[in-house]
Amino acid sequence: MKISEIDARDLSEAWFLCLRKTLTEGYEYKIERGSYAGQHRKELDFVVVQVRNPGTRPLIPDVPQGVPPPTSMEYIESYLPYLMTAHKAEGEQYTYGQYLEKQISEVIRMYKEDGYNTNQAFMAVGDSQSIFLSDPPCLRGIDTRIRDNKLNFIIYFRSWDLWAGFPSNLAAIQLMKEYMAGEIGVGDGELIAMSKGLHLYEYSWELARISAGVK
């Protein structure tokens, strides 16, 4: 398996760099199980995306004229409660917030009361029953580290839709990080995201090529 490394200034640049990498180096295959089964996607074997200044605004990418934006701040603001609280709408199998809500407050307490030098401030998503869901959680964990008085996030996605999921997920997670940093009393640090399933579905290939300037 090939490990791809992306070093980006901000969330927008990270998205564009990942588009180019996936379009030019991604493995193309037919999906046998999961979302859009029967269709094709391009996927990186394993990617590590380091974002140096994830708090730089705007948090979402500005796509070329004529390309529908992959997300919006209005959507992200409506999505944020599903990331940070246990609220679940009727018909939903799960939300990230049902796993994260209590862990967020515990990580804040841990850093404030016990100090910054710990490796235990990890927040898990999913449980032993998640494998039996028709669509298990994509985000599986958010690890944290405070260095130089700044809160950093290390994130893992088992599967990750690059076109729409990536910019929405990271913008919302960044807002959550800023909230936690403020509660702890530290600055906002870097964001490192990893996945063995960062992909572009077939429907988005042409949009991705136009956005990334790949012929």
Side-chain angles (χ1 to χ4, degrees):
M1 291 177 65
K2 180 179 179 180
I3 300 177
S4 302
E5 298 180 3
I6 301 290
D7 191 331
R9 295 185 307 271
D10 52 34
L11 295 180
S12 182
E13 183 182 55
W15 185 70
F16 285 109
L17 291 176
C18 285
L19 288 181
R20 293 180 193 133
K21 180 75 73 172
T22 304
L23 287 168
T24 57
E25 300 180 17
Y27 169 69
E28 181 180 334
Y29 67 96
K30 184 178 180 180
I31 305 165
E32 296 179 344
R33 175 180 171 134
S35 301
Y36 297 94
Q39 298 186 27
H40 290 78
R41 62 186 173 197
K42 294 179 183 289
E43 185 170 272
L44 297 177
D45 284 343
F46 190 87
V47 64
V48 180
V49 183
Q50 184 169 13
V51 187
R52 305 286 182 172
N53 301 289
T56 300
R57 267 49 174 184
L59 296 177
I60 59 176
D62 183 18
V63 294
Q65 187 174 5
V67 175
T71 189
S72 68
M73 285 307 300
E74 289 78 12
Y75 172 77
I76 290 162
E77 288 167 2
S78 68
Y79 170 73
L80 201 55
Y82 290 88
L83 180 67
M84 297 182 63
T85 71
H87 170 75
K88 185 166 63 172
E90 184 178 352
E92 288 182 322
Q93 292 185 327
Y94 69 89
T95 69
Y96 294 144
Q98 79 182 62
Y99 300 108
L100 291 173
E101 183 178 40
K102 293 182 179 179
Q103 296 181 83
I104 290 171
S105 59
E106 177 58 15
V107 167
I108 292 170
R109 185 209 63 79
M110 189 183 300
Y111 279 130
K112 290 179 71 173
E113 296 183 7
D114 301 332
Y116 300 160
N117 295 327
T118 179
N119 283 326
Q120 295 184 350
F122 175 87
M123 297 179 287
V125 176
D127 54 33
S128 62
Q129 297 303 305
S130 297
I131 189 69
F132 299 105
L133 296 173
S134 59
D135 186 19
C138 294
L139 173 66
R140 302 316 296 258
I142 300 178
D143 209 349
T144 73
R145 166 152 284 169
I146 294 179
R147 283 291 184 269
D148 300 320
N149 213 45
K150 293 181 179 180
L151 178 65
N152 305 278
F153 271 9
I154 301 91
I155 307 161
Y156 180 75
F157 281 85
R158 65 157 184 87
S159 183
W160 205 2
D161 169 27
L162 173 54
W163 178 255
F166 183 105
S168 299
N169 296 147
L170 291 190
I173 289 171
Q174 171 60 24
L175 291 176
M176 183 177 83
K177 178 158 67 69
E178 291 173 4
Y179 161 76
M180 292 178 66
E183 291 294 302
I184 296 166
V186 295
D188 178 53
E190 296 186 9
L191 191 156
I192 299 172
M194 298 175 289
S195 179
K196 68 94 180 71
L198 183 66
H199 58 263
L200 286 168
Y201 290 111
E202 193 171 359
Y203 81 86
S204 67
W205 291 354
E206 186 58 30
L207 295 173
R209 288 191 185 98
I210 296 171
S211 299
V214 175
K215 296 182 179 180

